[in-house]
Amino acid sequence: DPNTFAQLPLQVATEREIVRYLGNQARRSLGAVEDDQLDLTWNIALRTFPHPAAVAPSIVGGIAPGFLFAATMFSFVLVASNVVHERELQLRQGMESMGMLLSSYWTSWILWEGLMNVVSSGIITATGYLLGFSLFVKNSQALLFVVFFTFQNAMLAFALLISVFTKTSQGATSLSFGIFIIGWIFQSTVLFGFPYQPQYKSDVLRVIFNLLPWNPFTKAITDLGAATMTLPSDGDGFGITWRRRFAYCVPPSSSGIETLPQSSSSHSMLVDSPMETTNVGTGASAGHYTVGGCYLSVGEAIVWMSVMFFVFAFLAAYLDQIVPNSYGTRRPFYYFLMPNYWCARRSRVCQTSSSCCGGGGGGGEEGGGGK
């Protein structure tokens, strides 16, 4: 501590010599002999000046989202490239001609890559815990695992979606890296508190940001990092448990915080952030981490990323039918209302019964023949 190692001894020595000098002046005025070796007993006491509860900057909370985002984006790039590469090699068309249903095609991709996401999320969580990073040690490991898993699943579905609009695997790879760079830029914005701090009043803007999976992911990791900051009154950060994944984040309407000046980071610097000054004190007194004036808790981020997984997967399956393929064929936008879409091509009932597929044989199967 530079205060006790350098500043305080220098201050004590200066004050002692000033008193010695003034004492010798008084002795001279009284006709006494000056004593440069005057023995002065100098007792000091050090007390912390009263100040609002504050936290030190979280280095892990600041840099972890970028590195963890990069680690989880590898599968996104590979999935987008591989799906388009299958289409380039006509493998998918070959499987469709042998009777493969589109539901089976998309399900196989989601199940396999979902399993890989389980393994990847487990490795990231276990590695961080074994290395002793406070982000992984102090927070619930189950909560961290679910955050990584839901984010990777959302990006998996997003990769399937962008594969619909790309014709070559090289183009899919380039587009994926472009999205990675865009996500990195958005992360920098979220790390500075936009738009999740109370001074930003637009709920519509927050919803738009939540629709991009990397924004809820960054907010969740930032909150988890902030919860592990060292608290002066306790000597250790609290972390966020699975049970409190929603409760730690108190909205402005509930915490009484309506308008706050913008600080340099949503979870960063000391007393100059009123949000942190108020909330850390509340959390410390209650024995757990609490943030007032908070939008989008870790639990809500998990819900948003889970919803995005289903939304992107649905859009990928739907747009895959109505966007022209490499042969220029496509289905009408109302294709799912057509009877021949739901009747399997290989069904013998369709070939013999007049009541199936509108009274004729050989209707197209799910995912068969274009318009």
Side-chain angles (χ1 to χ4, degrees):
D1 184 358
N3 292 320
T4 57
F5 179 74
Q7 181 179 353
L8 186 58
L10 179 61
Q11 180 178 343
V12 169
T14 303
E15 292 175 349
R16 185 177 63 243
E17 294 307 315
I18 290 174
V19 170
R20 191 192 307 276
Y21 173 76
L22 294 176
N24 284 329
Q25 276 193 332
R27 291 168 66 88
R28 189 185 310 115
S29 64
L30 296 174
V33 179
E34 296 185 15
D35 184 4
D36 292 335
Q37 303 301 324
L38 182 64
D39 185 18
L40 297 177
T41 302
W42 205 262
N43 296 321
I44 64 170
L46 180 64
R47 294 288 185 270
T48 302
F49 191 81
H51 63 85
V55 294
S58 172
I59 298 177
V60 174
I63 67 175
F67 285 97
L68 295 175
F69 174 67
T72 53
M73 284 292 286
F74 281 110
S75 59
F76 168 75
V77 176
L78 293 176
V79 170
S81 176
N82 289 338
V83 171
V84 178
H85 189 59
E86 272 192 354
R87 193 163 61 235
E88 276 186 307
L89 298 179
Q90 308 296 322
L91 298 178
R92 173 178 165 179
Q93 287 83 346
M95 290 185 287
E96 287 179 359
S97 65
M98 292 187 291
M100 181 193 70
L101 300 177
L102 279 182
S103 57
S104 300
Y105 176 78
W106 292 114
T107 301
S108 64
W109 268 108
I110 291 174
L111 288 179
W112 173 253
E113 294 300 330
L115 178 61
M116 293 297 100
N117 291 342
V118 170
V119 175
S120 174
S121 302
I123 291 176
I124 293 174
T125 305
T127 302
Y129 183 83
L130 293 175
L131 293 176
F133 293 137
S134 58
L135 176 68
F136 296 87
V137 174
K138 296 179 182 178
N139 292 299
S140 167
Q141 286 76 47
L143 184 59
L144 282 162
F145 174 84
V146 173
V147 169
F148 294 135
F149 178 67
T150 52
F151 172 67
Q152 288 184 293
N153 279 348
M155 295 309 298
L156 161 63
F158 193 54
L160 297 178
L161 177 60
I162 68 170
S163 69
V164 174
F165 300 97
T166 51
K167 303 303 181 182
T168 63
S169 57
Q170 183 178 1
T173 302
S174 301
L175 180 59
S176 300
F177 276 106
I179 292 174
F180 170 74
I181 295 174
I182 293 173
W184 197 293
I185 296 173
F186 270 90
Q187 276 198 324
S188 302
T189 304
V190 174
L191 285 175
F192 279 95
F194 182 83
Y196 298 111
Q197 284 189 347
Q199 63 265 30
Y200 304 110
K201 298 296 185 179
S202 176
D203 292 332
V204 175
L205 186 60
R206 276 188 283 271
V207 170
I208 294 174
F209 264 63
N210 292 343
L211 294 176
L212 302 174
W214 46 79
N215 293 327
F217 175 73
T218 302
K219 178 61 165 58
I221 296 298
T222 303
D223 282 6
L224 290 166
T228 63
M229 294 179 184
T230 300
L231 300 176
S233 58
D234 297 88
D236 200 8
F238 293 114
I240 299 175
T241 63
W242 174 264
R243 180 175 298 181
R244 289 186 54 81
R245 64 190 184 279
F246 293 99
Y248 81 92
C249 184
V250 182
S253 58
S254 301
S255 61
I257 300 176
E258 294 297 336
T259 303
L260 297 174
Q262 183 178 4
S263 63
S264 60
S265 175
S266 60
H267 289 290
S268 60
M269 294 300 297
L270 309 175
V271 185
D272 62 347
S273 174
M275 181 175 71
E276 289 302 313
T277 299
T278 301
N279 303 328
V280 175
T282 302
S285 62
H288 48 67
Y289 178 72
T290 303
V291 176
C294 170
Y295 292 102
L296 194 69
S297 65
V298 174
E300 291 170 334
I302 292 173
V303 172
W304 272 100
M305 291 186 290
S306 300
V307 170
M308 287 301 98
F309 164 72
F310 290 103
V311 170
F312 291 150
F314 171 79
L315 288 176
Y318 175 72
L319 294 176
D320 180 67
Q321 294 295 294
I322 65 175
V323 173
N325 59 21
S326 56
Y327 298 106
T329 61
R330 64 178 181 87
R331 288 180 178 273
F333 69 91
Y334 53 87
Y335 71 90
F336 54 90
L337 300 177
M338 301 171 63
N340 64 344
Y341 174 74
W342 300 102
C343 182
R345 180 190 303 167
R346 294 189 302 169
S347 174
R348 294 189 179 183
V349 176
C350 288
Q351 300 174 0
T352 58
S353 174
S354 61
S355 63
C356 182
C357 293
E365 68 160 337
E366 177 190 350
K371 181 178 178 181

